[in-house]
Amino acid sequence: MAQTAHPTTPVDAVVARMRALDAALPARDGVAVFNRVYLAVTEEVGRRLAVGEFPDPRAASTLDVRFAERYLAAVDAVAADRRPPACWRPLFQLRRHPGVRPLQFALAGINAHIGHDLALAVVDTCRALDCEPADLEDEFDRVGELLVALEERIREDLMPGPDLLQIADPLTHLLGSWSLERARDATWAAARALWALRQCSGVVEEFTERLDAAVGFAGRMLLTPLAG
């Protein structure tokens, strides 16, 4: 696989990290399954940035990188025998479970990253660029649209069995309880709330901890073993 030897932008550097993970992890590893999905999204963001499809390239690049850094920080924490955020723990704990299907791994990672990391990344970006969440709404929406399109594709690619059998598949019922679009809407509300509360450090800390725990609970449900 071709890799970026000398990243020229912050997004290139993030892509290089994800490609290195892709090369190092076993294909069936749950983190590897999510990493492949997220790599595809980040490469597409980089491509769109390069051709000028984002109205504010600096804001889009900063949001994309701050967002990705939170996932990579969770990977680094586990590699160093430290606990990752609660939202990521189910994926790392069950990454090798034989009864969890690839689609579950992919969506559990998306759940953690969208439900928790994206809200914090919006706040990180606002601080870095000295702007308000409203100034990032276009970039937030465009990245969200990419993720929604990708979620549809990975559901088709990773959902096992012919269409006629999917109705009876427990995976269909499990995943029908989770929606990326609803998660994205909740994340935007959480980001705005965190920004509005930014001067109240104790409240922000409690809000963030509860958000992390709630997203982790949803991830645990998505990773319910269905076989094996």
Side-chain angles (χ1 to χ4, degrees):
M1 177 182 296
Q3 297 192 20
T4 304
H6 301 287
T8 57
T9 71
V11 174
D12 290 338
V14 165
V15 167
R17 281 286 317 271
M18 292 182 194
R19 286 178 176 167
L21 282 170
D22 185 54
L25 294 173
R28 182 62 177 78
D29 182 288
V31 177
V33 173
F34 167 72
N35 188 77
R36 287 194 295 274
V37 170
Y38 192 29
L39 173 59
V41 171
T42 308
E43 288 175 331
E44 182 62 16
V45 170
R47 187 194 69 77
R48 295 190 182 195
L49 280 167
V51 298
E53 290 192 15
F54 285 96
D56 186 340
R58 180 169 176 250
S61 175
T62 303
L63 178 60
D64 186 64
V65 170
R66 295 302 175 101
F67 186 30
E69 285 173 345
R70 288 192 170 271
Y71 158 60
L72 294 172
V75 171
D76 290 342
V78 173
D81 291 325
R82 291 182 282 107
R83 280 164 67 86
C87 62
W88 284 108
R89 286 175 208 156
L91 179 60
F92 283 99
Q93 290 168 354
L94 295 169
R95 64 194 293 179
R96 298 181 182 88
H97 196 296
V100 179
R101 301 184 190 176
L103 179 57
Q104 292 175 264
F105 289 132
L107 294 186
I110 292 173
N111 169 70
H113 205 36
I114 295 293
H116 174 264
D117 293 355
L118 184 53
L120 301 186
V122 169
V123 174
D124 292 342
T125 302
C126 287
R127 289 197 171 114
L129 300 181
D130 192 21
C131 67
E132 298 285 325
D135 299 320
L136 301 175
E137 191 165 5
D138 284 345
E139 287 67 35
F140 180 95
D141 286 343
R142 285 172 182 258
V143 171
E145 288 164 6
L146 275 177
L147 286 162
V148 169
L150 186 65
E151 186 209 16
E152 292 173 356
R153 193 180 83 194
I154 64 174
R155 281 180 184 263
E156 292 174 0
D157 290 348
L158 298 179
M159 179 69 84
D163 291 342
L164 291 177
L165 297 181
Q166 287 179 13
I167 294 175
D169 193 319
L171 182 60
T172 301
H173 299 281
L174 177 66
L175 300 181
S177 64
W178 186 83
S179 162
L180 175 55
E181 293 202 43
R182 288 198 301 269
R184 188 180 63 169
D185 289 345
T187 290
W188 182 244
R192 293 174 60 202
L194 284 168
W195 184 250
L197 295 169
R198 64 190 181 281
Q199 304 300 332
C200 306
S201 59
V203 177
V204 167
E205 183 177 353
E206 181 178 356
F207 186 102
T208 303
E209 287 178 357
R210 290 181 182 275
L211 176 66
D212 190 20
V215 174
F217 179 78
R220 183 77 58 182
M221 296 301 100
L222 285 170
L223 292 171
T224 299
L226 300 176

